[in-house]
Structure formats: structure tokens, C-alpha cells
């Protein structure tokens, strides 16, 4: 198992967790002071109150929660979002409302999931013909 160092930016922030033993993603929750109405067609950057340190040759992908996407038409705008191994800032999630109704983002609500993925870097070799 790969270890990830994680820092709460506030003691009130919930640590991500796997919902089941077979889950590939850790659920991220909204760390906001008050509820936010996400209007149809609009996006918002939602803080999680977390920062991480992951090993080189890994990334964290931020992905939509399938239940939110299927039932509410709420997804992650830059799917998948990438947290690089050298990034130490707060993880934030760009949510977009693709539905026709307002969606209320509540403090502590599960908004996305993060998945640890291996990364291989490439060496580019320029050629005249392939």
C-alpha cells in the first residue's frame, strides 16, 4: 500500500475515506463556511481543506462521484483533475452544474473522489519521420 501524507488545513475538516473495501476512490467533502447554490450551467471552485504529499511517479486524480453525476448532473469540470506529486497547496474541486435545477453544495457533503494513480514520464525524441 502506498502511503500519502495528508494535512488538514482546519481541525474541522474530515479526512477522505474509502466508502467500501472495494472502492478505488477516497471521497472528498466540501470545506465551505456556508451552503453554496450552484446554478444551472455555472461552476464553482470548492475547497476541501486538505493538502497532500504523494510520492514521485504518482498523481492523484480528482473524479466526479457517479451518484451526483447521474442523479443531479453535477460533475467535475476538468475531469479528471490532476494533483501532481510536487503540489503542496490545498486540493480544490471545480464542480459544474449541467442540470436544469439549482444544486446546493453543503458543508461536509461528498463532492468528488480522489484516486491515486501511477505516472510514467516520457522522453520525447524529435524525428523527421515516424
Amino acid at each position: 500500500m502506498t502511503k500519502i501524507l495528508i494535512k488538514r488545513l482546519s481541525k474541522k475538516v474530515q479526512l477522505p475515506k474509502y466508502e467500501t473495501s472495494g472502492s478505488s476512490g477516497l471521497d472528498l467533502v466540501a470545506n465551505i463556511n456556508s451552503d453554496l447554490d450552484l446554478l444551472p450551467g455555472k461552476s464553482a471552485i470548492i475547497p476541501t481543506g486538505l493538502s497532500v504529499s504523494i510520492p514521485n511517479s504518482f498523481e492523484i486524480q480528482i473524479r466526479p462521484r457517479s451518484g451526483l453525476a447521474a442523479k443531479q448532473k453535477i460533475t467535475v469540470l476538468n475531469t479528471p483533475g490532476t494533483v501532481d506529486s510536487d503540489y503542496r497547496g490545498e486540493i480544490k474541486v471545480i464542480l459544474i452544474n449541467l442540470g436544469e435545477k439549482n444544486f446546493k453544495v453543503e458543508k461536509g457533503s461528498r463532492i468528488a473522489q480522489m484516486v491515486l494513480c501511477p505516472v510514467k514520464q516520457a522522453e520525447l525524441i524529435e524525428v523527421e519521420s515516424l
Side-chain angles (χ1 to χ4, degrees), residues 45 86 94 126:
I45 299 173
D86 58 353
I94 307 169
E126 186 175 7

Side-chain angles (χ1 to χ4, degrees), residues 16-87:
K17 64 178 185 174
Y18 294 105
E19 282 299 309
T20 68
S21 62
S23 295
S24 61
L26 294 142
D27 284 337
L28 293 171
V29 302
N31 181 44
I32 51 180
N33 294 325
S34 58
D35 293 350
L36 172 86
D37 282 324
L38 190 54
L39 303 176
K42 299 297 181 183
S43 64
I45 299 173
I46 311 296
T48 65
L50 301 168
S51 59
V52 294
S53 173
I54 58 176
N56 288 333
S57 74
F58 284 91
E59 70 169 337
I60 287 177
Q61 292 183 0
I62 307 300
R63 300 180 184 176
R65 291 191 62 241
S66 57
L68 280 181
K71 296 173 188 169
Q72 305 290 332
K73 308 294 187 256
I74 303 299
T75 191
V76 176
L77 185 58
N78 61 327
T79 299
T82 295
V83 179
D84 293 310
S85 64
D86 58 353
Y87 179 72

